[in-house]
């Protein structure tokens, strides 16, 4: 950008005045204490109890399916665990004779909701013939 010399001093004065006003307006923000980070020591959790006589089959299928994208997915009857990538959360799976128990935990509400949606949709799809519905209950 070409600026004539006659305008240079006016531009410099304008920039100096604008910087001073901006400093005055934002100085109170610098004095404020920073917000404390959310307490991540206690994860958010929710559980689902899905009545079915095929709980071991669906639990094994869920863990096997999650193995493609999860950081870790392991199934050793009657328990399984799925760890989501990036440490965003985990799901524990327990196959009981008459129901499938699911428990998810995450550091924030958005991740918890995402995990509930993913796990619930997979189980409902695997068990479409039974018409199972996964209903999450917060802890």
């Amino acid at each position: 950008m070409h600026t004539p010399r006659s305008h240079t001093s006016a531009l410099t004065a304008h920039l100096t005045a604008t910087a001073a006003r901006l400093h005055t307006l934002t100085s109170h923000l610098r004095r404020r204490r920073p917000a404390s980070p959310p307490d991540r020591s206690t994860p958010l959790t929710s559980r689902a109890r899905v009545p079915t006589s095929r709980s071991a089959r669906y639990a094994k299928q869920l863990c096997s399916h999650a193995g493609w994208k999860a950081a870790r997915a392991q199934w050793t009857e009657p328990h399984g665990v799925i760890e989501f990538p990036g440490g965003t959360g985990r799901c524990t799976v327990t196959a009981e004779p008459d129901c499938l128990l699911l428990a998810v935990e995450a550091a924030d509400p958005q991740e918890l909701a995402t995990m509930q949606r993913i796990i619930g949709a997979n189980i409902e799809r695997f068990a479409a013939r039974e018409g199972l519905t996964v209903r999450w209950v917060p802890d």
Side-chain angles (χ1 to χ4, degrees):
M1 177 172 121
H2 175 68
T3 305
R5 290 180 190 238
S6 61
H7 291 242
T8 304
S9 61
L11 181 59
T12 302
H14 174 70
L15 290 176
T16 303
T18 302
R21 280 193 303 263
L22 185 59
H23 177 75
T24 303
L25 292 172
T26 60
S27 63
H28 74 282
L29 294 174
R30 284 188 218 107
R31 285 186 222 129
R32 293 176 61 192
R33 283 183 37 202
S36 59
D39 180 18
R40 297 195 185 251
S41 61
T42 306
L44 301 170
T45 60
S46 65
R47 300 183 186 281
R49 185 178 191 280
V50 185
T52 179
S53 60
R54 296 178 171 188
S55 60
R57 177 178 189 262
Y58 296 137
K60 180 181 178 182
Q61 189 175 6
L62 178 66
C63 291
S64 176
H65 178 74
W68 289 97
K69 293 195 176 188
R72 180 174 84 104
Q74 179 180 340
W75 170 251
T76 306
E77 194 168 345
H79 303 285
V81 64
I82 300 166
E83 292 181 4
F84 280 68
T88 56
R90 70 186 272 153
C91 175
T92 56
V93 183
T94 304
E96 293 190 343
D98 62 342
C99 71
L100 177 64
L101 300 176
L102 304 167
V104 292
E105 61 182 53
D108 66 58
Q110 291 80 18
E111 289 298 331
L112 185 68
T114 298
M115 290 173 47
Q116 289 172 334
R117 183 180 47 77
I118 291 169
I119 298 296
N122 281 323
I123 292 295
E124 290 174 359
R125 188 181 48 172
F126 298 156
R129 289 182 182 166
E130 281 189 65
L132 296 183
T133 301
V134 177
R135 299 204 192 289
W136 296 99
V137 177
D139 281 348

